[in-house]
Structures are given as structure tokens and as C-alpha cells.
Amino acid sequence: MEDIGADDYDLIVSGDLGTFGSEMLSELGKKYGLDLEGRYLDCGASIYREEQGFSCGGSGAGCSAVVLAAELLSRIERGDVNRMLFLATGALMSPTSGMQGESIPGIAHAVVLERRD
């Protein structure tokens, strides 16, 4: 089995890590030798603007669906992106767990989308 890395994708997309989570992912990636520069997009950060005061907190599933349908599928169709790793990141929220001081588990479904002629 061959190793696959960030260089094997034209674009790596997350659901809604927001600006804070995206910065954290970039730092962790660099720490472990993974350079995402120029090939990473966070759906939530691409929808919400800094002046709106959101650094994270949209729905990962909702942001992923909106950006995939509105932008990313057409980029694949045009040939701007040939291979994309799409990670619909999100949090499994419970209204009571936060009030009880419990952690909020995260989830991500990874899907590879490829343009085939």
C-alpha cells in the first residue's frame, strides 16, 4: 500500500474548523511535516467573514454542503481541481453536555472526489 500525502490532492477541504481551527490545523500539520499551504480550504471560514465576528461555530455539515454545491463541484467540473480530499468536519453537540462540563466530540467523514475524463 502506497503512502498518500497532502501533495496528492489539489485541494483539502474541511467543514467548519473556522479561522481558529484552521490555524490550529496548519500549525499541527507543520509540526508533523504536512504543508497545507495553498491547498487547504475551510468551508465555514469561506462563508463567514472576519467583520461578522465569527471565528468558528457554524454547522460543519451545513457549511460543507453549501460550499460543495455552490463552488467546489463546479471547480471539479471545470478542471480547476482534479483531486480533492473533502472532510465534512463537525461537532456532535448536545445541549446538556456543555452545561455539565463534558467534552464535545468531533467527527469527520473523509471523501475523495476526483475528476475523470
Coordinates of all heavy atoms in Angstrom, one line a residue, residues 40-83:
Y40 N -5.5 24.2 1.1 CA -6.4 24.0 2.1 C -7.5 25.0 2.1 O -7.3 26.2 1.9 CB -5.8 24.0 3.5 CG -6.7 23.9 4.6 CD1 -7.5 22.8 4.9 CD2 -6.9 25.1 5.4 CE1 -8.4 22.8 5.9 CE2 -7.8 25.0 6.5 CZ -8.6 23.9 6.7 OH -9.5 23.9 7.7
L41 N -8.8 24.6 2.3 CA -9.9 25.5 2.4 C -10.9 25.0 3.5 O -11.2 23.8 3.5 CB -10.7 25.5 1.0 CG -12.1 26.2 1.0 CD1 -11.9 27.7 0.9 CD2 -12.9 25.7 -0.1
D42 N -11.3 25.9 4.3 CA -12.3 25.6 5.3 C -13.6 26.2 4.9 O -13.7 27.4 4.6 CB -11.9 26.1 6.7 CG -12.9 25.8 7.7 OD1 -13.0 24.6 8.1 OD2 -13.7 26.7 8.2
C43 N -14.7 25.4 4.8 CA -16.0 25.9 4.3 C -16.5 27.0 5.2 O -17.0 28.0 4.7 CB -16.9 24.7 4.2 SG -16.5 23.5 2.9
G44 N -16.5 26.8 6.5 CA -17.0 27.8 7.4 C -16.3 29.1 7.2 O -16.9 30.2 7.2
A45 N -15.0 29.1 7.2 CA -14.2 30.3 7.0 C -14.4 31.0 5.7 O -14.3 32.2 5.6 CB -12.7 30.0 7.3
S46 N -14.8 30.2 4.7 CA -15.0 30.8 3.4 C -16.4 31.4 3.3 O -16.7 32.3 2.4 CB -14.8 29.8 2.3 OG -15.9 28.8 2.3
I47 N -17.3 31.0 4.2 CA -18.7 31.6 4.2 C -18.7 32.9 5.1 O -19.2 33.9 4.7 CB -19.7 30.6 4.7 CG1 -19.9 29.5 3.7 CG2 -21.1 31.3 5.0 CD1 -20.8 28.3 4.2
Y48 N -18.2 32.7 6.3 CA -18.2 33.8 7.2 C -17.0 34.7 7.1 O -15.9 34.3 6.9 CB -18.3 33.3 8.7 CG -19.5 32.5 8.9 CD1 -19.4 31.1 9.0 CD2 -20.8 33.1 9.0 CE1 -20.6 30.3 9.2 CE2 -21.9 32.3 9.3 CZ -21.8 30.9 9.4 OH -22.9 30.2 9.6
R49 N -17.2 36.0 7.2 CA -16.1 37.0 7.0 C -15.7 37.5 8.4 O -16.5 37.5 9.4 CB -16.6 38.2 6.2 CG -17.0 37.8 4.8 CD -15.8 37.3 4.0 NE -16.2 36.8 2.7 CZ -15.9 35.6 2.3 NH1 -15.2 34.8 3.0 NH2 -16.3 35.2 1.1
E50 N -14.5 37.9 8.5 CA -13.9 38.4 9.8 C -14.8 39.5 10.4 O -15.0 39.5 11.6 CB -12.5 38.8 9.6 CG -11.7 39.1 10.9 CD -10.3 39.4 10.6 OE1 -9.7 38.8 9.8 OE2 -9.8 40.3 11.4
E51 N -15.3 40.4 9.6 CA -16.0 41.5 10.1 C -17.4 41.1 10.7 O -18.0 41.9 11.4 CB -16.2 42.6 9.1 CG -16.9 42.2 7.8 CD -16.0 41.6 6.7 OE1 -14.8 41.4 7.0 OE2 -16.5 41.4 5.6
Q52 N -17.8 39.9 10.5 CA -19.0 39.4 11.1 C -18.8 38.9 12.5 O -19.8 38.6 13.2 CB -19.6 38.2 10.2 CG -20.1 38.6 8.9 CD -20.6 37.4 8.1 OE1 -19.7 36.6 7.6 NE2 -21.9 37.3 7.9
G53 N -17.6 38.8 12.9 CA -17.3 38.4 14.3 C -17.3 36.9 14.5 O -17.4 36.4 15.7
F54 N -17.3 36.1 13.5 CA -17.3 34.6 13.7 C -15.9 34.1 13.5 O -15.3 34.4 12.5 CB -18.2 33.9 12.6 CG -19.6 34.2 12.8 CD1 -20.3 35.2 12.1 CD2 -20.4 33.4 13.6 CE1 -21.6 35.4 12.2 CE2 -21.7 33.6 13.8 CZ -22.4 34.6 13.1
S55 N -15.4 33.4 14.4 CA -14.1 32.7 14.2 C -14.3 31.2 14.1 O -13.4 30.5 13.7 CB -13.1 33.0 15.4 OG -13.7 32.6 16.6
C56 N -15.4 30.7 14.5 CA -15.8 29.4 14.3 C -17.3 29.2 14.9 O -17.8 30.2 15.4 CB -14.9 28.4 15.1 SG -14.8 28.7 16.9
G57 N -17.9 28.1 14.6 CA -19.2 27.9 15.2 C -20.4 27.7 14.3 O -21.5 27.6 14.7
G58 N -20.1 27.7 12.9 CA -21.2 27.4 12.0 C -21.4 25.8 12.0 O -20.6 25.1 12.7
S59 N -22.3 25.4 11.3 CA -22.6 23.9 11.2 C -21.6 23.4 10.2 O -21.6 23.8 9.0 CB -24.0 23.7 10.8 OG -24.1 22.4 10.3
G60 N -20.8 22.4 10.6 CA -19.8 21.8 9.7 C -20.5 21.1 8.5 O -20.1 21.2 7.4
A61 N -21.6 20.4 8.9 CA -22.4 19.7 7.8 C -23.0 20.7 6.9 O -23.0 20.6 5.7 CB -23.4 18.8 8.5
G62 N -23.6 21.8 7.4 CA -24.3 22.8 6.6 C -23.3 23.6 5.8 O -23.5 23.8 4.5
C63 N -22.2 24.0 6.4 CA -21.1 24.7 5.6 C -20.6 23.9 4.5 O -20.3 24.3 3.4 CB -20.0 25.2 6.5 SG -20.5 26.5 7.7
S64 N -20.3 22.6 4.8 CA -19.8 21.7 3.8 C -20.7 21.5 2.6 O -20.3 21.6 1.4 CB -19.5 20.3 4.4 OG -18.6 20.3 5.4
A65 N -22.0 21.3 2.9 CA -23.0 21.1 1.8 C -23.1 22.4 0.9 O -23.1 22.3 -0.3 CB -24.3 20.8 2.4
V66 N -23.1 23.6 1.6 CA -23.3 24.8 0.8 C -22.1 25.1 -0.1 O -22.2 25.4 -1.3 CB -23.5 26.0 1.8 CG1 -23.3 27.3 1.1 CG2 -24.8 25.9 2.5
V67 N -20.9 24.9 0.5 CA -19.7 25.3 -0.3 C -19.4 24.2 -1.4 O -19.1 24.5 -2.5 CB -18.4 25.4 0.6 CG1 -17.2 25.6 -0.2 CG2 -18.7 26.6 1.5
L68 N -19.7 22.9 -1.1 CA -19.6 21.9 -2.1 C -20.5 22.1 -3.3 O -20.1 22.1 -4.4 CB -19.8 20.5 -1.5 CG -19.7 19.3 -2.5 CD1 -18.3 19.2 -2.9 CD2 -20.2 18.0 -1.8
A69 N -21.8 22.4 -3.0 CA -22.8 22.6 -4.1 C -22.5 23.9 -4.8 O -22.7 24.0 -6.0 CB -24.2 22.6 -3.5
A70 N -22.2 25.0 -4.1 CA -22.1 26.3 -4.7 C -20.8 26.6 -5.4 O -20.8 27.4 -6.3 CB -22.3 27.4 -3.6
E71 N -19.7 25.9 -5.0 CA -18.4 26.3 -5.6 C -17.6 25.1 -6.0 O -17.1 25.0 -7.1 CB -17.6 27.1 -4.5 CG -16.2 27.4 -5.0 CD -15.4 28.0 -3.9 OE1 -15.9 28.4 -2.8 OE2 -14.1 28.1 -4.1
L72 N -17.4 24.1 -5.1 CA -16.4 23.1 -5.3 C -16.7 22.1 -6.5 O -15.8 21.7 -7.2 CB -16.2 22.3 -4.0 CG -15.6 23.2 -2.9 CD1 -15.5 22.3 -1.6 CD2 -14.3 23.8 -3.2
L73 N -18.0 21.7 -6.6 CA -18.3 20.8 -7.7 C -18.1 21.4 -9.0 O -17.6 20.8 -10.0 CB -19.8 20.3 -7.5 CG -20.0 19.3 -6.4 CD1 -21.5 19.0 -6.3 CD2 -19.2 18.1 -6.5
S74 N -18.4 22.7 -9.2 CA -18.1 23.4 -10.5 C -16.6 23.5 -10.7 O -16.2 23.5 -11.9 CB -18.8 24.7 -10.5 OG -18.4 25.6 -9.5
R75 N -15.8 23.7 -9.7 CA -14.4 23.7 -9.8 C -13.8 22.4 -10.4 O -12.9 22.4 -11.2 CB -13.7 24.1 -8.5 CG -13.9 25.6 -8.2 CD -13.2 26.0 -6.9 NE -11.8 25.9 -7.0 CZ -10.9 26.2 -6.0 NH1 -11.4 26.5 -4.8 NH2 -9.6 26.1 -6.2
I76 N -14.4 21.3 -9.9 CA -14.0 20.0 -10.4 C -14.5 19.8 -11.8 O -13.7 19.4 -12.7 CB -14.6 18.9 -9.5 CG1 -13.9 18.9 -8.1 CG2 -14.4 17.5 -10.2 CD1 -14.5 17.9 -7.1
E77 N -15.7 20.2 -12.1 CA -16.2 20.1 -13.5 C -15.4 20.9 -14.5 O -15.2 20.5 -15.6 CB -17.7 20.6 -13.5 CG -18.4 20.3 -14.8 CD -19.9 20.7 -14.7 OE1 -20.3 21.5 -13.9 OE2 -20.6 20.2 -15.5
R78 N -15.0 22.1 -14.1 CA -14.2 23.0 -15.0 C -12.7 22.5 -15.1 O -12.0 22.8 -16.0 CB -14.1 24.4 -14.4 CG -15.3 25.2 -14.6 CD -15.1 26.7 -14.3 NE -14.3 26.9 -13.1 CZ -14.9 27.2 -11.9 NH1 -16.3 27.3 -11.8 NH2 -14.2 27.5 -10.8
G79 N -12.3 21.6 -14.2 CA -10.9 21.1 -14.3 C -10.0 21.9 -13.4 O -8.8 21.7 -13.5
D80 N -10.5 22.9 -12.7 CA -9.6 23.7 -11.8 C -9.0 22.8 -10.6 O -8.0 23.0 -10.1 CB -10.4 24.8 -11.1 CG -10.9 25.8 -12.1 OD1 -10.4 25.8 -13.3 OD2 -11.8 26.6 -11.8
V81 N -9.8 21.8 -10.2 CA -9.5 20.8 -9.2 C -9.7 19.5 -9.8 O -10.8 19.1 -10.3 CB -10.3 21.0 -7.9 CG1 -10.0 19.9 -6.9 CG2 -10.1 22.4 -7.3
N82 N -8.6 18.6 -9.7 CA -8.8 17.3 -10.2 C -9.0 16.2 -9.1 O -9.6 15.2 -9.4 CB -7.5 16.9 -11.1 CG -7.5 17.7 -12.4 OD1 -8.5 17.7 -13.1 ND2 -6.4 18.4 -12.6
R83 N -8.4 16.5 -8.0 CA -8.5 15.5 -6.9 C -8.6 16.3 -5.6 O -7.8 17.1 -5.2 CB -7.3 14.6 -6.8 CG -7.4 13.5 -5.9 CD -6.4 12.4 -6.2 NE -6.7 11.2 -5.5 CZ -5.9 10.4 -4.8 NH1 -4.7 10.8 -4.6 NH2 -6.3 9.3 -4.3

